[in-house]
Amino acid sequence: MAHPSQLGFQDAASPIMEELLHFHDHALMAVFLISTLGLYIITIMMTTKLTNTNAMDAQEIEMVWTIMPAIILIVIALPSLRILYLMDEISDPHLTVKAIGHQWYWSYEFTNYEDLAFDSYMIPTQDLTPGQFRLLEVDNRMVVPMESPTRMLITAEDVLHSWAVPALGLKTDAIPGRLNQTSFIASRPGLFYGQCSEICGANHSFMPIVVEAVPLKTFEDWSSSMLDA
């Protein structure tokens, strides 16, 4: 859960998000080195009156500032392509959940079960209990087993939405008439909050997402109680 004055990302709750955090630090270090070198060169040019005429037209320097950016791009691109492959790889999911965006709430269908489906609405401010987060709590959470590959099928019924949970490294557009998919593995139990990240209308900011990762036995008890209800 993000908190005021937080500078970095939320703590990772999935292996993909951990990879994204590492890649962010890796790319940020490259940007830092480039910025430092650029600032140093600008400072030297502005503070010294000495000019080396040989440096004004030199093949060696031109080769350096042509090859170096290419090397930097490769150093950044290779880890990025690896993460993109990992994010698209969906193999043998234990659970499949279909998320459908509406104006303005989410509905979930657990396709492994015949009749397990429900709507998820934001809890109004006046109905919140102590400890719940305003504009983020929902009446029905999406419960998933931890440490189990989960596939998300995401679509919309009316307008564009986007299903996003930062702690899990998820952000997938919900498009009417199209079925997008993504996957995740919740590496620890907990509540992971998200929101629709597409400007989908007047109540765009009032359709939150809550993913609750629990042990497998707890998930089985929850699914049984939902089917019996």
Side-chain angles (χ1 to χ4, degrees):
M1 180 67 190
H3 56 79
S5 72
Q6 178 174 327
L7 295 179
F9 292 100
Q10 298 181 26
D11 293 337
S14 70
I16 289 297
M17 190 59 193
E18 291 179 6
E19 293 289 339
L20 290 173
L21 289 178
H22 293 157
F23 175 70
H24 170 265
D25 296 339
H26 171 76
L28 198 63
M29 184 56 65
V31 172
F32 174 75
L33 294 175
I34 295 171
S35 302
T36 302
L37 177 62
L39 181 62
Y40 172 75
I41 294 175
I42 292 173
T43 303
I44 292 300
M45 292 178 62
M46 294 180 63
T47 56
T48 182
K49 295 181 179 179
L50 300 177
T51 301
N52 189 345
T53 55
N54 294 327
M56 302 301 292
D57 183 18
Q59 294 286 339
E60 294 81 4
I61 293 180
E62 291 184 5
M63 290 181 60
V64 168
W65 68 43
T66 301
I67 296 175
M68 283 299 295
I71 295 175
I72 293 172
L73 288 176
I74 293 174
V75 168
I76 294 176
L78 291 181
S80 175
L81 293 174
R82 172 178 171 271
I83 295 176
L84 285 174
Y85 175 79
L86 292 175
M87 293 176 71
D88 286 338
E89 183 68 16
I90 302 175
S91 58
D92 192 23
H94 295 174
L95 179 69
T96 299
V97 183
K98 184 178 181 181
I100 305 172
H102 306 268
Q103 289 183 316
W104 284 276
Y105 65 94
W106 294 97
S107 60
Y108 298 99
E109 299 175 2
F110 287 70
T111 60
N112 300 78
Y113 300 83
E114 186 174 352
D115 297 317
L116 183 50
F118 54 86
D119 296 330
S120 181
Y121 290 87
M122 185 191 74
I123 298 178
T125 302
Q126 63 271 17
D127 296 334
L128 292 174
T129 59
Q132 291 184 325
F133 296 104
R134 177 177 173 270
L135 302 182
L136 288 177
E137 291 291 347
V138 297
D139 55 357
N140 291 309
R141 297 166 176 168
M142 192 190 93
V143 181
V144 297
M146 57 176 287
E147 297 180 343
S148 296
T150 302
R151 175 172 57 188
M152 293 296 305
L153 303 176
I154 300 168
T155 186
E157 190 178 64
D158 34 49
V159 298
L160 292 175
H161 298 281
S162 188
W163 201 83
V165 183
L168 297 173
L170 300 174
K171 183 181 183 297
T172 304
D173 289 339
I175 303 172
R178 177 171 178 171
L179 201 63
N180 290 329
Q181 73 174 358
T182 186
S183 65
F184 68 93
I185 300 175
S187 55
R188 56 185 171 86
L191 293 177
F192 310 114
Y193 295 89
Q195 289 178 306
C196 174
S197 57
E198 187 73 49
I199 301 177
C200 59
N203 293 329
H204 146 71
S205 56
F206 301 105
M207 48 186 301
I209 303 160
V210 181
V211 177
E212 183 176 0
V214 297
L216 180 59
K217 180 63 171 63
T218 305
F219 172 77
E220 291 175 344
D221 295 340
W222 171 83
S223 60
S224 299
S225 64
M226 291 292 290
L227 290 172
D228 294 338

